[in-house]
Amino acid sequence: MITFLVEGKPQGKARARTFYDKRVGKMRSVTPEQTKDYESLIRWSYKAAGGKYLGEKLISVDIQAFYPIPKSFSKKKRQAAEFEEMRPTTKPDCDNVIKAVLDALNGVAYYDDKQVICVSCNKYYGETGYLKITIKEI
């Protein structure tokens, strides 16, 4: 089992941009740079925490996404957010955060994300934005 943090406001996997490439004469899809950079940060954070390649074992992934408390919140709302009485319903959606994390760790933590048989994602408020990711062999 390994737990690691990815600093920065959580981001989801953006949709690939598809266009007709005249040079090649067919359609191409390109992942946006912001998504590539975020996936690279996730990979780097995993390796920096001592993450090892797990091969083709079955995997469980738990993601806790912490969003910064908005400055516009009243004192009452801020307190509710700090004590988890209020949870974020802002974008990105959990499914897009999961996709970004699982795709980023392909070939780094495991062979392919098809090995991930259990996933959970929860959204919280915190002083800063970050992801807390726990990966376990099952």
Side-chain angles (χ1 to χ4, degrees), residues 54 57-61 110 115-118 135-136 138:
L54 303 172
K57 300 172 182 163
L58 299 179
I59 307 289
S60 168
V61 178
Y110 39 77
Q115 297 163 238
V116 178
I117 61 167
C118 182
I135 298 175
K136 293 185 225 175
I138 297 180

Side-chain angles (χ1 to χ4, degrees), residues 11-47:
Q11 296 178 32
K13 176 106 178 180
R15 299 206 187 287
R17 304 294 173 229
T18 303
F19 61 94
Y20 182 77
D21 190 343
K22 292 179 184 177
R23 294 177 300 154
V24 186
K26 59 183 173 179
M27 299 297 284
R28 278 188 53 200
S29 292
V30 178
T31 302
E33 280 300 313
Q34 187 176 2
T35 298
K36 286 182 187 178
D37 293 344
Y38 193 62
E39 288 179 349
S40 180
L41 175 63
I42 294 169
R43 282 189 291 277
W44 180 87
S45 298
Y46 177 74
K47 290 177 185 176

Side-chain angles (χ1 to χ4, degrees), residues 11 20-21 24 27 48 69 85-86 88 101 113 125 130 138:
Q11 296 178 32
Y20 182 77
D21 190 343
V24 186
M27 299 297 284
I69 299 172
E85 295 167 5
M86 179 181 206
V101 170
D113 56 2
Y125 280 117
Y130 63 95
I138 297 180

Side-chain angles (χ1 to χ4, degrees), residues 38-84:
Y38 193 62
E39 288 179 349
S40 180
L41 175 63
I42 294 169
R43 282 189 291 277
W44 180 87
S45 298
Y46 177 74
K47 290 177 185 176
K52 305 280 187 238
Y53 182 69
L54 303 172
E56 296 192 31
K57 300 172 182 163
L58 299 179
I59 307 289
S60 168
V61 178
D62 176 56
I63 302 167
Q64 295 178 354
F66 290 85
Y67 293 79
I69 299 172
K71 299 211 184 295
S72 62
F73 272 15
S74 66
K75 192 173 185 179
K76 187 176 180 181
K77 270 184 151 180
R78 178 173 283 281
Q79 193 172 24
E82 287 172 355
F83 291 107
E84 294 182 16

Side-chain angles (χ1 to χ4, degrees), residues 9-10 65-70 73 77 80-81 84-97 121-126:
K9 187 177 174 188
F66 290 85
Y67 293 79
I69 299 172
F73 272 15
K77 270 184 151 180
E84 294 182 16
E85 295 167 5
M86 179 181 206
R87 303 274 289 270
T89 56
T90 58
K91 292 203 176 230
D93 301 339
C94 275
D95 59 331
N96 290 328
V97 173
C121 180
N122 289 286
K123 294 163 78 170
Y124 303 96
Y125 280 117

